[in-house]
Amino acid sequence: MNKRSKPPLPRRASVASHLWIGLCFLVVGGAAFGLRRRLPLPPLADLDLLDAAGTICWAAVLTVCLGLLLRRTPLWSPWTWILAILLSMAVESFQSTPYPARIQAAFPPAHLLLGSTFSWMDMALYPVGVALAWSLLRAFGRSTFSH
């Protein structure tokens, strides 16, 4: 390589990789949501594994979507994972207000996006979902989050 040639750009995860990874998280999260609604929970269950799986998958899907949207923007791509964590936590904090219930009364499917009640456990699980999605995107090509 001579002095004037530029180093090759890192390979980024393809659109297809984003879509497949996102679809996998949607399927797993949807299965966890469906099972949680059908299985009886013990009273005062502190750690609901199905709820945790759904929370992790929600954050992972959000990360994949943000990565896909910001994939071609070199300025913002390195910050996709930070934006995913912040947006996840903002939505969770929003659940501590009465507004999500009003939105869900008008449009019930909004429950899937906004959730229902604030949980500190969810706040702790969002970084897990973001890290899992980020790791998978890195495995399918140079990360969408770094240069």
Side-chain angles (χ1 to χ4, degrees):
M1 179 156 66
N2 63 35
K3 292 181 182 180
R4 292 189 173 169
S5 65
K6 294 181 181 178
L9 290 174
R11 207 167 80 78
R12 295 177 188 259
S14 69
V15 171
S17 295
H18 280 80
L19 295 177
W20 278 110
I21 292 168
L23 181 64
C24 289
F25 281 117
L26 279 174
V27 168
V28 172
F33 179 75
L35 284 172
R36 187 173 188 273
R37 295 194 66 152
R38 287 176 176 49
L39 295 176
L41 292 176
L44 302 174
D46 287 335
L47 180 60
D48 179 1
L49 293 179
L50 292 173
D51 184 50
T55 299
I56 289 168
C57 288
W58 187 92
V61 168
L62 178 65
T63 304
V64 170
C65 290
L66 283 173
L68 188 58
L69 289 173
L70 301 175
R71 187 171 174 272
R72 296 282 185 199
T73 58
L75 180 63
W76 288 105
S77 295
W79 301 101
T80 301
W81 65 274
I82 293 172
L83 292 173
I85 290 173
L86 291 175
L87 187 57
S88 297
M89 291 185 175
V91 169
E92 188 68 29
S93 298
F94 185 59
Q95 291 174 6
S96 65
T97 69
Y99 301 112
R102 292 179 189 163
I103 294 169
Q104 292 167 27
F107 185 66
H111 172 74
L112 297 173
L113 190 62
L114 299 176
S116 57
T117 57
F118 177 83
S119 168
W120 284 108
M121 180 59 78
D122 288 353
M123 292 284 230
L125 291 172
Y126 290 140
V128 174
V130 170
L132 185 58
W134 185 22
S135 298
L136 287 173
L137 287 170
R138 288 180 65 94
F140 285 96
R142 192 77 171 142
S143 170
T144 59
F145 311 109
S146 65
H147 296 283

